[in-house]
Amino acid sequence: MCRMIKQLSKIRVQISFFYSVIALAAILLIGFILFYTFSDILINQSLDAAESTTENSGEYINAYIDKIYDISYMMSKDSKLQDYILYKDISQKDKILNDINNVLASDELIKSIIIVTYDGRIISNEENLTMEMSDDMMEQSWYKNATSAMPYLTATRMNEFTLNKNTWVISISTEITDDTGNNIGVMLVDVDYNFVEAHMLNMDNNEDTEVFIFDSNNCLVYYKDTSYFSDGDKKECLMETMVENVEFDRKTNVATYSYRIQTANWTLTSVTQLSRLEQMRKELFNDILIVTVALIFLVVLAGNMLSKRITNPIKKLEKAMATGTGGEVNIDEHGIASCDEARSLTAHYNAMIQRINDLQIENMRKEKMLRESEIAALTSQINPHFLYNTLDTILWMAEYTNSVVDMIKALGQFFRLSLSGGASHIKIKDEIQHVKEYLYIQKKRYGDKLNYSFDLDESIMDIKVPKIILQPIVENAIYHGIKELDGPGHISIKYLSEDGFIKFIISDDGAGFDLSALNKQKDKLPLSGVGLKNVDERLKLNYCDDCGVQIESEKGKGTTVTLKILIEVN
């Protein structure tokens, strides 16, 4: 017994025992963590794939319908159509029909365009129409439904419903109004159902995935099995699988994701059976178990060998290190007996101290370079969506207006200011001019729907700030605020100076959003990406954490975004 106690008191035995116990516990813990970590990774990858595929399909449909809305809006505001309806200028009819044919030729998915005036006149590429007409179209229920929102999806022109999808169309209606906003007609654009069908087939071809679309009235818009359109019980089964966003059932390995197609007020839902997930998890568990057993064996063996090699020279090394003076490189490695490991450890200790000193200097230099690189990378991000919309607007203006030259000049000036000769900082007056060019371009597109004003102090115009910080904020105000309004909206940009900071306040009276939902998402800005988040990160990188973007919004009453910048007079 005494002999056993004596053996256990030896440092070699204690090192081997405790090393083995700790290593075994660590291996088991790491194996457990790895299994559940990689299991979650497999699940998340599968969910991300289902979510990404669904979102891509939804965004494609969303973008296409948004394009139809733009075409309808531009045509409804055309002076030829306004003259034909308001002044009964019959000479404009052939020109309007020519415009309709041009639109049909530019997009083979658009099957027909029908213009119905408030007094019962019709212009269309279709020769035989069966629509109910009268001298006062507001008496017709389908006409009133088409004008109750601007624009909205309708099934008004659907005749007898058959299960032949080749005869289906999606009818998109836009109200035609005069300058005072009074209804003077309705424009119906019939789009081939295949624009939905073709994109959904990419998802339906996956045997583990089912996808379907419902509208806001719980009417089925898309499902590969057409029998569901006429069978109420089958439709009810589909509706029961819809979720708010993304949902994963770990028992059945079924992932369900719903995506809201805003422009059509549809809900696209995909249901994916992750059939290979359980098999992959079993394979992962077996692999980790084999590796764990092998590591346990190696740890026990290595622990015993290591304790023997460390025991003898460890005391000498400890004594030599204890006589050293702090962090100075002063331990004599040749004085540590004849143990190669101890001498090597001593040499590495000396080299480590020297390397730490060198790295401290090098890290300071790299940190500065990294900061500059991050700022340059953030500044270089330009949203191509604006360029696309501007070129699209120029294309339509080329057909209907004489303002193309002014638009191209404004676009050229906008990108000249964006480049700024490669400079990362520009004067406030140039930044203001940059956003004015942007608003001028958008004003050409939206007309009376968009209004804006500036209230700035000329004394600060020569102060330099990071470039392109106002335009992304104004862009969000237009696309997520003003554009959502039924009537005109207003954006104001003003300046405030207090406590050594410049504050630019960009306010709109648009749709706004619920900040309480935002507060649940820590460290996230709404509409993040190349917009608000980009500006916020650049201001923090350029100045300090107190600078950046602050947001105040109330749903239905608008949004106010404040940019806080440290004053640095150049």
Side-chain angles (χ1 to χ4, degrees):
M1 185 68 177
C2 294
R3 184 176 181 181
M4 181 180 296
I5 295 175
K6 186 176 180 180
Q7 288 292 328
L8 291 175
S9 65
K10 290 183 178 180
I11 187 172
R12 180 179 65 82
V13 176
Q14 292 183 18
I15 290 176
S16 178
F17 175 76
F18 287 109
Y19 172 81
S20 298
V21 170
I22 294 173
L24 288 174
I27 290 173
L28 292 175
L29 179 61
I30 292 172
F32 178 81
I33 293 174
L34 285 177
F35 174 73
Y36 282 97
T37 299
F38 282 110
S39 294
D40 287 340
I41 290 174
L42 290 174
I43 292 173
N44 290 333
Q45 286 180 339
S46 300
L47 293 177
D48 289 344
E51 181 177 345
S52 176
T53 303
T54 306
E55 285 188 356
N56 289 341
S57 297
E59 288 174 359
Y60 167 81
I61 296 173
N62 201 72
Y64 186 81
I65 293 177
D66 193 44
K67 170 189 170 183
I68 299 300
Y69 286 164
D70 289 341
I71 292 174
S72 300
Y73 178 80
M74 190 69 71
M75 292 184 67
S76 69
K77 295 301 181 182
D78 183 37
S79 59
K80 296 189 293 294
L81 181 58
Q82 295 279 329
D83 290 344
Y84 174 81
I85 297 175
L86 294 174
Y87 306 115
K88 296 181 172 55
D89 187 353
I90 301 176
S91 64
Q92 302 291 350
K93 183 173 182 179
D94 290 338
K95 298 177 182 179
I96 296 171
L97 280 171
N98 184 58
D99 290 343
I100 290 174
N101 290 328
N102 288 337
V103 172
L104 294 175
S106 68
D107 190 339
E108 62 182 10
L109 291 175
I110 300 177
K111 295 304 180 183
S112 66
I113 297 177
I114 303 160
I115 298 171
V116 181
T117 68
Y118 69 100
D119 54 1
R121 290 174 290 156
I122 297 179
I123 300 178
S124 175
N125 59 297
E126 292 189 30
E127 296 181 356
N128 299 317
L129 294 174
T130 60
M131 304 173 71
E132 188 176 356
M133 309 300 295
S134 70
D135 293 338
D136 185 358
M137 292 304 297
M138 290 303 293
E139 296 177 354
Q140 306 300 326
S141 59
W142 71 264
Y143 185 90
K144 287 187 287 186
N145 289 336
T147 60
S148 62
M150 186 177 69
Y152 76 104
L153 291 171
T154 176
T156 299
R157 300 192 61 257
M158 183 179 292
N159 295 321
E160 183 179 354
F161 189 82
T162 68
L163 297 184
N164 181 9
K165 288 187 285 188
N166 293 327
T167 65
W168 296 358
V169 295
I170 301 295
S171 292
I172 302 173
S173 69
T174 300
E175 182 181 17
I176 304 173
T177 60
D178 58 18
D179 293 339
T180 61
N182 294 321
N183 174 268
I184 57 174
V186 169
M187 180 183 300
L188 300 176
V189 180
D190 283 353
V191 181
D192 195 327
Y193 183 77
N194 286 329
F195 97 89
V196 177
E197 175 87 4
H199 209 70
M200 293 299 102
L201 286 178
N202 295 331
M203 300 176 66
D204 280 335
N205 286 337
N206 183 351
E207 61 183 13
D208 294 329
T209 300
E210 287 193 347
V211 59
F212 55 89
I213 299 175
F214 276 93
D215 66 13
S216 59
N217 295 319
N218 294 329
C219 294
L220 186 61
V221 176
Y222 170 80
Y223 189 62
K224 61 183 178 182
D225 186 351
T226 56
S227 66
Y228 279 71
F229 285 83
S230 57
D231 191 323
D233 293 336
K234 290 183 177 180
K235 284 194 289 187
E236 188 70 23
C237 291
L238 284 182
M239 290 182 62
E240 290 177 357
T241 63
M242 295 173 64
V243 296
E244 286 296 325
N245 188 14
V246 62
E247 184 178 283
F248 175 65
D249 189 338
R250 291 181 178 270
K251 293 182 180 179
T252 60
N253 289 330
V254 172
T256 306
Y257 181 72
S258 292
Y259 177 81
R260 186 69 174 273
I261 303 174
Q262 296 290 344
T263 53
N265 205 12
W266 293 347
T267 300
L268 168 63
T269 302
S270 64
V271 181
T272 303
Q273 176 69 48
L274 305 179
S275 56
R276 294 190 65 251
L277 183 59
E278 190 61 31
Q279 179 183 351
M280 294 173 66
R281 293 181 65 181
K282 290 180 179 179
E283 294 175 356
L284 176 63
F285 177 80
N286 292 334
D287 292 342
I288 292 178
L289 182 61
I290 293 172
V291 172
T292 300
V293 172
L295 286 176
I296 290 174
F297 175 78
L298 291 176
V299 163
V300 173
L301 180 63
N304 186 51
M305 296 176 61
L306 183 63
S307 63
K308 292 180 180 179
R309 293 180 65 87
I310 293 176
T311 302
N312 293 330
I314 194 66
K315 291 184 179 180
K316 293 182 180 181
L317 178 60
E318 180 186 8
K319 182 178 179 180
M321 294 178 68
T323 58
T325 56
E328 296 182 11
V329 184
N330 60 355
I331 297 181
D332 182 9
E333 60 190 73
H334 298 288
I336 308 299
S338 59
C339 178
D340 292 339
E341 288 79 5
R343 283 201 300 269
S344 176
L345 180 61
T346 303
H348 283 89
Y349 171 79
N350 293 338
M352 179 186 68
I353 297 299
Q354 183 62 48
R355 181 61 176 163
I356 287 174
N357 294 332
D358 295 338
L359 285 176
Q360 287 178 341
I361 299 173
E362 180 67 10
N363 284 341
M364 291 177 64
R365 184 182 67 83
K366 288 183 177 180
E367 190 171 331
K368 181 179 179 181
M369 293 176 62
L370 178 61
R371 184 181 181 89
E372 294 173 353
S373 298
E374 289 175 341
I375 293 173
L378 286 170
T379 305
S380 66
Q381 298 181 53
I382 298 176
N383 190 347
H385 184 67
F386 165 69
L387 180 58
Y388 169 81
N389 285 337
T390 303
L391 293 177
D392 191 49
T393 302
I394 291 175
L395 174 63
W396 282 103
M397 293 183 70
E399 292 189 29
Y400 300 108
T401 73
N402 296 317
S403 303
V404 176
V405 173
D406 294 337
M407 282 286 287
I408 294 176
K409 286 181 178 179
L411 183 61
Q413 179 71 356
F414 175 87
F415 281 107
R416 184 188 70 78
L417 292 169
S418 296
L419 296 173
S420 305
S424 62
H425 287 62
I426 61 176
K427 293 181 179 180
I428 288 179
K429 63 182 179 182
D430 292 329
E431 180 67 14
I432 294 298
Q433 184 62 34
H434 179 258
V435 81
K436 284 182 177 179
E437 298 294 344
Y438 173 80
L439 284 168
Y440 173 82
I441 293 171
Q442 294 292 37
K443 177 70 174 177
K444 286 293 184 181
R445 180 182 183 189
Y446 290 99
D448 293 337
K449 186 176 180 65
L450 173 62
N451 299 287
Y452 56 89
S453 62
F454 291 84
D455 183 9
L456 302 171
D457 186 353
E458 294 295 326
S459 65
I460 66 163
M461 289 302 178
D462 289 331
I463 295 177
K464 287 189 176 181
V465 296
K467 67 181 180 181
I468 316 179
I469 59 174
L470 294 179
Q471 183 270 330
I473 311 302
V474 173
E475 182 177 358
N476 272 336
I478 294 174
Y479 283 95
H480 302 287
I482 304 301
K483 187 177 179 181
E484 301 298 326
L485 296 176
D486 291 336
H490 184 270
I491 297 174
S492 69
I493 302 173
K494 63 182 180 180
Y495 150 84
L496 179 65
S497 176
E498 62 180 21
D499 300 329
F501 290 91
I502 294 175
K503 290 186 178 180
F504 284 101
I505 303 173
I506 301 94
S507 301
D508 68 75
D509 56 1
F513 55 89
D514 187 6
L515 273 175
S516 61
L518 170 64
N519 293 330
K520 298 178 182 178
Q521 306 178 35
K522 296 181 179 179
D523 300 325
K524 288 188 178 181
L525 289 169
L527 314 172
S528 59
V530 187
L532 293 176
K533 186 177 180 181
N534 182 297
V535 174
D536 185 70
E537 290 180 355
R538 287 169 56 204
L539 293 181
K540 283 180 169 57
L541 284 171
N542 275 278
Y543 298 108
C544 62
D545 289 339
D546 289 336
C547 296
V549 177
Q550 299 174 348
I551 304 167
E552 297 177 5
S553 184
E554 185 174 353
K555 195 166 185 179
K557 293 187 178 181
T559 301
T560 297
V561 178
T562 302
L563 305 186
K564 188 177 180 181
I565 303 171
L566 186 67
I567 295 179
E568 291 182 347
V569 181
N570 295 286

